[in-house]
Every structure is written in structure tokens, then in C-alpha cells.
Amino acid sequence: DVKVTQSSRYLVKRTGEKVFLECVQDMDHENMFWYRQDPGLGLRLIYFSYDVKMKEKGDIPEGYSVSREKKERFSLILESASTNQTSMYLCASILAGGGNTIYFGEGSWLTVV
Amino acid sequence: GQSLEQPSEVTAVEGAIVQINCTYQTSGFYGLSWYQQHDGGAPTFLSYNALDGLEETGRFSSFLSRSDSYGYLLLQELQMKDSASYFCAVRVNSGNTPLVFGKGTRLSVIA
């Protein structure tokens, strides 16, 4: 069974903290993504990666960075968390060349206080 | 810019049929897909249309008209477990460009 695993389902962090959200996929997919999901705003793309050590900005990259040191792992980093980054974060992966099916992790609920 | 329009909420009765529409304006078009997301869960793939017409998968069908930049998801014999959010998404090219998602339609199935 294909799987995208996000290491933390629920986190509470303080303003200014550095936050790491980890994502691992076992499907040997080249492409990985980080989305943010907020009520009424749908899925918004933060960053994506086509390959190891490669990254591309999505629609809302400000305040975030990413790391892809291994093909199966894609990390989202909040350098200095702020309250407006309280949200649900979804990691996803898809085959190179796009494919027709994107696979999502279960999501990480982040609250910044 | 890229935009996908779908209704924000739909309510339907158990056993009925419901149609969720999606219109798109994107820089390119390669295919339209649909995803289902239950509260607290991950979006999961439902269907994909690259060509005009209807694709059927059990109780769910998806339709595409490329000339109208329009598609819909049809859910038949609604069940309470179908209450979820449904997202349409456009693949704009054959390469690695990320899918463009609509904002989602919240479907509530009532008894």
C-alpha cells in the first residue's frame, strides 16, 4: 500500500520557534510537495521539489523553507513561527512527469501561540 | 493566472444524486482530476479525465468538456459516508508542473 507519512499530526509551538515538519514517501516518487490548507482557501502550494536537493517556490513560500536531502524525504521548515502560520500542512508526492494521481499524507495540524 | 471555480457547499439527501461542478481557467490543460477529503483526513484520488466525456467508477462518475473548460463529479445513491469535501484539480501540462486545485466543495448528506 502506497504511503506518504507525516511524522507529526499535531504540534503546538511558540511564536519565534523554529519548526520542522517531516514527510516521507515509500513510492520512489521524484516529485514532492508541501501544501497549506485553511478553511475557505483550499490547498495552497508552499514549495515543491522535482529531485533531491532541488526546490521550487509555490504560491505562498514566504516564511517557509524546505529541504530534500534524500529522495524519499521532504522537510518543511518554519524558520521563525508566527501565529498566521497556524494551519494544516499537507505533504504530497507524485510520479515524475506529473502522473495522474497525487498521494497525500494525513496532514500536520500546527498551532502557533 | 490560474483559477478553478467550484461551489463552496452542497447539501443533498441520502439516496439522491448530486453533481459538483468545476470550471477552470488555466494556462494549459492536460487533465482534470477529483479528490475527496473527509474531515481530519488526507485528500484521496477519485477520478481523472483527460478526454471529453464521462468516466464511471462505481457510484461516482466524472465528466469533462474541454471546449467549455468545465467538468463535474456526479455522485449517485448518496450515502452518509459521502459527506466530505471534494476538490477538482487541473494538470496544466505533461511535465512536472504541480496540479492546480480548486478551493473545494463541502458536501453534506442528510437523512
Side-chain angles (χ1 to χ4, degrees), chain A residues 9-67:
Chain A
R9 287 294 321 261
Y10 302 96
L11 306 93
V12 179
K13 298 292 182 180
R14 295 194 180 278
T15 301
E17 275 194 79
K18 190 169 186 176
V19 181
F20 292 87
L21 300 180
E22 305 286 345
C23 175
V24 177
Q25 50 95 3
D26 64 1
M27 296 165 282
D28 204 33
H29 285 170
E30 288 79 6
N31 299 346
M32 296 188 73
F33 309 85
W34 275 104
Y35 290 90
R36 173 177 171 161
Q37 186 172 27
D38 300 287
L41 297 179
L43 293 162
R44 294 184 290 167
L45 182 64
I46 305 172
Y47 267 97
F48 59 104
S49 169
Y50 295 141
D51 202 348
V52 175
K53 297 194 184 296
M54 294 183 68
K55 60 183 180 183
E56 297 282 345
K57 292 180 179 179
D59 299 317
I60 52 165
E62 296 78 19
Y64 304 94
S65 62
V66 290
S67 173

Side-chain angles (χ1 to χ4, degrees), chain B residues 42-104:
Chain B
T44 55
F45 174 79
L46 288 177
S47 68
Y48 178 77
N49 295 67
L51 302 175
D52 286 358
L54 191 68
E55 296 278 344
E56 298 183 58
T57 310
R59 295 188 296 113
F60 293 4
S61 303
S62 56
F63 172 82
L64 174 65
S65 169
R66 294 175 69 128
S67 60
D68 294 321
S69 299
Y70 163 75
Y72 65 72
L73 180 69
L74 191 74
L75 295 83
Q76 303 182 73
E77 302 172 18
L78 279 173
Q79 302 175 10
M80 301 299 284
K81 67 178 182 180
D82 297 329
S83 293
S85 292
Y86 293 85
F87 295 87
C88 58
V90 166
R91 185 177 169 190
V92 298
N93 58 40
S94 60
N96 288 319
T97 305
L99 297 178
V100 180
F101 282 88
K103 292 184 178 180

Side-chain angles (χ1 to χ4, degrees), chain B residues 12-62:
Chain B
V13 177
E14 192 175 16
I17 298 172
V18 72
Q19 179 175 311
I20 299 173
N21 298 321
C22 176
T23 57
Y24 57 88
Q25 285 186 309
T26 53
S27 57
F29 182 84
Y30 199 76
L32 179 72
S33 51
W34 289 90
Y35 289 79
Q36 179 192 59
Q37 184 181 29
H38 286 101
D39 285 347
T44 55
F45 174 79
L46 288 177
S47 68
Y48 178 77
N49 295 67
L51 302 175
D52 286 358
L54 191 68
E55 296 278 344
E56 298 183 58
T57 310
R59 295 188 296 113
F60 293 4
S61 303
S62 56

